Structure formats: structure tokens, C-alpha cells
Amino acid sequence: MLNVTKIREDFPILKRKVNGHDLVYFDSGATSQRPEIVIETIDRYYRETNANINRGVYEMSVESTQLVEESRKRVADFVGGRAEEIIFTRNTTESINLVAYAWGEDNIHEGEAILISKLEHHSNMIPWQELCRRKGAELRVIDMSEKGELVEEKEAVISEEKGLKLVVGGMKNLLDEKVKMIAITGQSNVLGTEVNVEEMVKLAKKHAPKALVLVDGAQMVPHMKVNVQSLGIDFLAFSGHKMLGPTGVGVLWGRKEILEKMRPFLFGGDMIGEVKLSGATWASLPNKFEAGTPDIAGIIGLGAAVDYLEKVGMEEIHEYEKELTTYALEKMKLLEDEGLIQMYGAEIKNKGGAIAFNITGVHAHDTAQILDSFGIAVRSGQHCAAPLVMNFGVPAMVRATFYLYNTREEVDYFVEKIKDVQKVFV
Ligand SMILES: Cc1ncc(COP(=O)(O)O)c(C=O)c1O
């Protein structure tokens, strides 16, 4: 069991007031808060070590390089990969774009297909839409049920919009030899739907043997134990800022054999082998994909975040968040039964810590603003997943997302204040 009281003491921001109330931070899906140790690690780096990496022979530069490489090793161990397979990017979005360009440009051809789902965040949708458009490839989209889960079997519907061939249907109806890439979220950022990635990889091996599998782990890696080997995937993208780390650092893990065959994404310093006026050769992994000075302090801070998460325990975090979500869903169901709110995806079988809802007759932005006046931070809008939100026939939703530092008392307060939002409008 997590000692949440003790955990909360590690997060200085949780002591602040918002509009005169204790902060209730229910927006960790957008970005998490950081524990003291992460803030301290970054602060100490700038005070004591700051120097550029990979190039200096002097002590501070060597120390900086070592700290970055130690972080790389920690991140690799955290997801079950090898250090040279960890590429530091800015965020999940950049990690996915890296694959869409550096792998996609050479490996996707006219008539082939890329498979995504309706659950995707725009970051795992638009890079593939654009790649398909450039290449004359099909974008296949696994449909979503009314509950908010992936549909296994449903006849495919083909359409063509702005030069893009779109095929929407059930997962099993979309897998065949034409599929070269399956890019799927590990967990929906709006509904919390946990996708059974292992099962998908098994199906892909059988029905789409040429496909690589990329997992958008932005909402998965921060909340559960992930092992790239046991999942059997080829790429994993995630963001440090959603897992207690600083903003500005993302990760792409890729299988070594695949990364080695890929062309670079960005060109310039640090990613080269030999350079002549007429051209250059590329550095070995991971430097080939890390052009220019990275967010050194951020990478080191991410290492501290990973240590913190491991000390608490990913299994414990996952279990705790599920319990808290079940508790919140039970309380909110009572409000739904009274007609006060509508929830979306409340009956998803495997659901992580995200609850999407609307208050009857109140726009999502108004709800979020009124909740803010009570010190509660929730997100409202389309959550960078417009097709998913639109699938429920609403223009916007309110979303509460939980992490290891949230409590039942906060949920109780939140549910009470939802009732007060209604009162403002009657
Ligand atoms: C599922 C998912 N994918 C991708 C992203 C994009 O992450 P970033 O903005 O860090 O690139 C997010 C951010 O909310 C997300 O929830």
C-alpha cells in the first residue's frame, strides 16, 4: 500500500493555495507535479556541474556526460531496454515524429497501410496522417465502442478525404499483409482505456507479419510497469514531464536492429561520425538521433524521477490509482443517477486514472473554471483527441486525471464541488 501522506510531503507544490483553497491537482494527465528530489537534482546540476556534454575533456564536461549516460541507463532499465536504444527527445510528440520521418520515409510506400485507433492523442495521429498522405498509403483506424474500448470486429468502411485513404473498422478487420506500422496508445489520455498491447502484438504477428508496433506510452509509462521485451513491441514513446520529471525531455525507445537501419531525423553537431565539406557519416546509437545540445539538466532530472517512481513501486502506483479511480467512479455514478452529470467511458473494463464527464447543461470550460475557484485543477476541452471526444457527440469534456499523490479526501471534495457547480447555474 502506498503511504500517500508521506508521498505528498515530497511535492512542495501540493502545499500551495489556489483561489484561497488547498490545491487539488487532478490534471496529471497533462503534466505531473515534481518531487523535491527532481527539483533539487536539477538545481544542484546547474550550481555544481553545468557544462556541455560529449565534447569537453575537462572535468565538469566529463561529469555532465557521465550524469546524462547514467540517466540513460536508468531510463533503459525502467522500461527493459538497452542504454543505446534510449533516444532523448523533447517529448512524446517529437519521439513519434522521429519514427514517422526517419523510419516512415524509407519504409512506407504507396498502397501500404498504417494502423492507429480512434483513441489516439493527436500526437499519435497527425504524424501518421501526414506520412500516409505523402506516400499514398492508407490510414486504418480501429474504431471505438460506445463504452470507449477498441472494437475487435466491425466491417471496415473506406472513404477518401483530402487525398487520404481512410479505412475505419474493427481491429481484426484491419490487420493484413499491407499493414507496415501499428501505432497505438498504451492508455487513452481522455478515458483511461488501457489497451492490451501484448494481445495486439500477438494478433499483429499472425495477421500483419510485416508490421512494426509503436506504443504511445505517454499515459502508460508513468502509471504502470512497462517492459518493452515482454510486450514484444518495436518502439515506445513517452514524456518525462508526465512521470514526475521536468518538461523538455521525452524518450524514444527503439529496437536496436531497427534504429541502426534508420536514417537520422535531425542533422548537425553530435550526430556525426566523420565530416567533410562534401558530406558526413553518422554516429552510432543513440547519438545518431541526438543532434545538438540536449536538455542536459532535464535528462538528469528525469533520471531522478525514474529513481523516485521505482522506489515507490510501479505496481503499487498502478494499483493505487485504480482503487482511487474506482472510488471516484462510484461516487460520481450517484451524481449520474441523479441526472447531474454524464460520464464518458465509465464502464471501461481496464481503466486507468482518468475520468471524463460533463455537468448537465454546463459547458466543460465553465465547469473547469468554477472548479478552479474551489482550488481544483481539471482540464476541459477536446484533450488533443478531437475524434474521440466527437465520437460521444459532445464538443468538449471535463477530465480529471489522478496520480500517486491524489487522495480519497480530494475525490470527496471534488464530488461535493461538482454539486456546487450546478448551483451556480440554477
Ligand atoms: C496519450 C498521449 N500521447 C501523446 C501526448 C503528447 O505528449 P507531449 O505533449 O509531451 O508530447 C500526450 C499528452 O497529453 C498524451 O496524453
Side-chain angles (χ1 to χ4, degrees):
M1 221 10 217
L2 293 195
N3 185 344
V4 184
T5 310
K6 190 158 174 295
I7 286 172
R8 286 179 68 82
E9 282 167 15
D10 295 334
F11 290 80
I13 206 166
L14 298 180
K15 294 184 183 77
R16 77 162 274 179
K17 300 270 180 200
V18 170
N19 291 316
H21 299 272
D22 289 341
L23 165 67
V24 172
Y25 188 73
F26 281 175
D27 198 22
S28 296
T31 196
S32 71
Q33 298 302 342
R34 290 94 179 104
E36 191 70 57
I37 186 69
V38 170
I39 301 166
E40 235 177 65
T41 302
I42 295 168
D43 182 78
R44 194 171 349 111
Y45 170 74
Y46 280 127
R47 287 176 194 281
E48 297 176 7
T49 318
N50 183 47
N52 213 331
I53 56 165
N54 294 341
R55 41 190 93 170
V57 291
Y58 57 95
E59 186 169 281
M60 292 196 318
S61 175
V62 173
E63 275 175 27
S64 280
T65 308
Q66 267 169 2
L67 289 171
V68 165
E69 293 315 311
E70 279 165 21
S71 260
R72 196 188 302 281
K73 179 77 177 77
R74 280 184 210 159
V75 172
D77 290 345
F78 189 61
V79 296
R82 291 183 267 189
E84 70 261 40
E85 295 174 323
I86 295 293
I87 294 153
F88 288 119
T89 60
R90 280 188 306 142
N91 46 39
T92 303
T93 307
E94 188 175 298
S95 299
I96 295 172
N97 273 277
L98 190 161
V99 178
Y101 278 97
W103 178 86
E105 283 301 321
D106 293 328
N107 290 284
I108 294 292
H109 308 98
E110 194 173 344
E112 294 177 338
I114 292 173
L115 180 66
I116 62 167
S117 83
K118 239 189 214 173
L119 294 177
E120 303 313 317
H121 185 281
H122 297 159
S123 293
N124 196 34
M125 180 178 290
I126 296 159
W128 307 115
Q129 285 174 346
E130 290 306 303
L131 177 63
C132 286
R133 217 188 295 282
R134 287 199 297 279
K135 296 291 182 168
E138 278 175 18
L139 185 70
R140 298 187 181 179
V141 184
I142 305 171
D143 213 342
M144 190 181 77
S145 69
E146 277 174 22
K147 264 184 170 181
E149 293 168 330
L150 293 183
V151 170
E152 286 216 0
E153 283 182 63
K154 185 177 177 186
E155 203 179 322
V157 176
I158 304 171
S159 61
E160 190 147 351
E161 276 175 52
K162 294 185 193 151
L164 177 69
K165 192 167 170 202
L166 196 62
V167 188
V168 182
M171 187 195 313
K172 290 187 178 157
N173 307 67
L174 299 178
L175 285 169
D176 62 29
E177 294 256 332
K178 277 174 141 188
V179 180
K180 295 281 292 290
M181 170 60 78
I182 299 172
I184 193 84
T185 187
Q187 180 173 314
S188 158
N189 63 310
V190 185
L191 308 173
T193 320
E194 292 176 356
V195 170
N196 189 340
V197 174
E198 244 172 296
E199 187 58 32
M200 181 157 304
V201 171
K202 265 192 218 146
L203 275 177
K205 287 226 161 77
K206 205 161 155 205
H207 302 289
K210 292 188 186 145
L212 297 187
V213 178
L214 174 144
V215 171
D216 171 354
Q219 301 292 343
M220 184 191 199
V221 176
H223 302 287
M224 64 181 84
K225 182 98 199 99
V226 173
N227 184 295
V228 292
Q229 309 304 342
S230 57
L231 289 177
I233 58 177
D234 302 292
F235 296 105
L236 176 69
F238 53 103
S239 296
H241 70 94
K242 294 185 196 287
M243 50 188 283
L244 313 184
T247 47
V249 186
V251 177
L252 175 70
W253 168 84
R255 215 169 267 292
K256 188 177 176 192
E257 314 81 83
I258 302 167
L259 289 174
E260 273 175 340
K261 287 195 201 121
M262 282 160 52
R263 59 162 94 175
F265 175 43
L266 299 172
F267 298 84
D270 279 333
M271 52 74 68
I272 40 84
E274 234 182 283
V275 181
K276 294 186 199 154
L277 279 180
S278 56
T281 59
W282 315 133
S284 54
L285 292 177
N287 304 66
K288 180 169 94 172
F289 294 108
E290 291 182 352
T293 303
D295 183 346
I296 301 170
I299 292 170
I300 296 165
L302 177 59
V306 164
D307 276 357
Y308 185 93
L309 287 171
E310 277 188 326
K311 261 187 216 137
V312 178
M314 291 312 293
E315 265 119 24
E316 285 76 4
I317 292 172
H318 191 218
E319 200 182 316
Y320 177 71
E321 285 174 17
K322 282 203 170 257
E323 273 170 29
L324 194 62
T325 308
T326 306
Y327 179 72
L329 284 172
E330 277 167 12
K331 295 208 107 183
M332 291 174 76
K333 180 81 178 62
L334 300 176
L335 303 187
E336 192 169 53
D337 289 346
E338 287 173 34
L340 273 180
I341 64 167
Q342 300 81 52
M343 287 196 280
Y344 311 100
E347 273 152 32
I348 290 164
K349 207 162 137 229
N350 292 312
K351 186 173 169 80
I355 298 182
F357 69 100
N358 272 318
I359 298 183
T360 310
V362 184
H363 193 279
H365 290 325
D366 289 333
T367 299
Q369 220 160 14
I370 296 164
L371 289 175
D372 180 55
S373 73
F374 298 125
I376 301 167
V378 288
R379 177 123 182 237
S380 55
Q382 296 194 325
H383 313 286
C384 298
L388 181 157
V389 171
M390 250 106 89
N391 211 62
F392 286 93
V394 291
M397 293 174 181
V398 185
R399 179 192 73 173
T401 45
F402 308 133
Y403 211 179
L404 71 169
Y405 36 67
N406 293 123
T407 65
R408 284 185 174 220
E409 291 70 32
E410 286 180 319
V411 169
D412 292 342
Y413 178 70
F414 168 64
V415 171
E416 277 312 302
K417 291 305 165 195
I418 287 177
K419 292 184 202 158
D420 287 354
V421 172
Q422 267 277 345
K423 286 180 200 153
V424 173
F425 287 91
V426 287

